Amino acid sequence: MASPCQIWRPDRGRCFKTYGIIFVLFTDLMLQCVNGYLSSPHVGQEPPYPREAQHGPVITSPVVPAAVSVSPADEESYTSRCPSGGLCQRLPADCMHCNFQHNCTYAKAASFTCKPRKGVHCIGESGQQQTNFSLSISCQFCWQLDPSQYRCSNSTSCMTVSCPRKRYNATCEVLDHVHCLGKRRFQKRLYCNWTGGYKWSTALALSITLGGFGADRFYLGQWREGLGKLFSFGGLGIWTLIDVLLIGVGYVGPADGSLYI
């Protein structure tokens, strides 16, 4: 017996056209997810430098900006944060001026001449007060530091679970006692990674014990699903078992898009 596509010969192309549209839409959706993930750098990273920049000198501009005059109010603000009488090499970065040059080898130790800012007094290893001292740091820009050496702002308005994964513009600042080249405050594109305080263990325990009444969904802020489970007695037990598995593997999370703690 001939299929419907073979009986209606004038409309034979409609079947192929319908299948073709469905295939194109499905392929386009998958490509958007893959391209969205591959088109951006990994977490906490900037676009990679070329190979020669990793082994050769990192040169951007050898010109050191001129010293900016400090007002009395600004001087008082930083002198209150800068310890006096300690070792010069242990001063916070905001308490000294250094002639940072960018013609050093990336990730290698480099020495720079520094001096304490006006109103800040420090001593050398010999115990004598110094106005100029040498500071040895790793030759890398501040945004190239390990994430543990700077703090970034966190966004609570982006979804942590999506395809492709969502990012947000974070403002990062290097810790006081970490020294690096370039600006100490910089921008980075980071993945959404925040929590609303929901515990995975609590959600799983509610799903196992009171999941038939929708307690797990109510806890996660999913009120519609919670009411559905409540009035259907957990989908006659089937929905309850499915939710135990989904919450156990972390597929079902808080309704606000945050991560479990």
Side-chain angles (χ1 to χ4, degrees):
M1 181 176 181
S3 63
C5 292
Q6 294 176 344
I7 294 176
W8 297 95
R9 297 182 62 86
D11 299 333
R12 179 179 298 178
R14 292 184 179 179
C15 293
F16 297 101
K17 183 178 180 180
T18 302
Y19 296 151
I21 293 175
I22 295 176
F23 177 78
V24 170
L25 292 177
F26 179 78
T27 305
D28 182 68
L29 178 62
M30 295 301 297
L31 289 177
Q32 287 182 3
C33 294
V34 175
N35 292 335
Y37 176 77
L38 297 178
S39 60
S40 56
H42 296 289
V43 181
Q45 293 182 353
E46 296 293 328
Y49 272 10
R51 185 179 300 274
E52 57 271 18
Q54 298 178 1
H55 301 283
V58 180
I59 302 176
T60 55
S61 174
V63 180
V64 181
V68 181
S69 58
V70 181
S71 61
D74 294 337
E75 179 180 345
E76 183 179 356
S77 63
Y78 75 77
T79 52
S80 61
R81 303 192 308 267
C82 299
S84 293
L87 292 176
C88 295
Q89 295 183 350
R90 294 187 178 180
L91 284 176
D94 294 338
C95 302
M96 64 177 72
H97 289 295
C98 299
N99 62 339
F100 290 133
Q101 299 288 334
H102 301 160
N103 57 350
C104 53
T105 303
Y106 173 73
K108 300 295 183 180
S111 297
F112 302 97
T113 302
C114 305
K115 62 180 181 180
R117 297 182 66 173
K118 184 179 179 181
V120 179
H121 305 283
C122 63
I123 59 176
E125 296 181 355
S126 60
Q128 297 180 351
Q129 182 174 345
Q130 291 183 337
T131 56
N132 293 282
F133 58 94
S134 179
L135 180 67
S136 179
I137 65 173
S138 178
C139 180
Q140 56 184 350
F141 289 101
C142 294
W143 60 266
Q144 296 173 319
L145 292 172
D146 187 84
S148 62
Q149 296 180 316
Y150 56 81
R151 295 288 181 268
C152 297
S153 59
N154 199 2
S155 175
T156 58
S157 61
C158 59
M159 300 293 289
T160 59
V161 181
S162 62
C163 180
R165 295 182 63 187
K166 296 294 184 180
R167 291 175 178 264
Y168 69 98
N169 293 324
T171 301
C172 304
E173 187 171 2
V174 183
L175 300 181
D176 291 340
H177 291 81
V178 178
H179 301 276
C180 54
L181 304 179
K183 296 182 179 179
R184 301 183 60 82
R185 183 188 293 267
F186 50 91
Q187 299 289 325
K188 271 202 169 185
R189 292 277 295 172
L190 302 178
Y191 284 120
C192 299
N193 185 21
W194 64 283
T195 178
Y198 295 93
K199 293 184 178 180
W200 173 82
S201 57
T202 303
L204 183 60
L206 290 175
S207 182
I208 296 174
T209 58
L210 301 175
F213 301 99
D216 50 351
R217 294 283 184 166
F218 286 125
Y219 172 73
L220 296 175
Q222 302 176 6
W223 297 99
R224 295 179 180 177
E225 292 81 355
L227 291 174
K229 293 183 68 175
L230 177 62
F231 291 110
S232 66
F233 299 101
L236 300 180
I238 299 176
W239 194 349
T240 302
L241 294 177
I242 293 176
D243 271 357
V244 171
L245 296 177
L246 295 180
I247 295 177
V249 300
Y251 184 80
V252 173
D256 58 3
S258 63
L259 298 175
Y260 287 115
I261 58 175

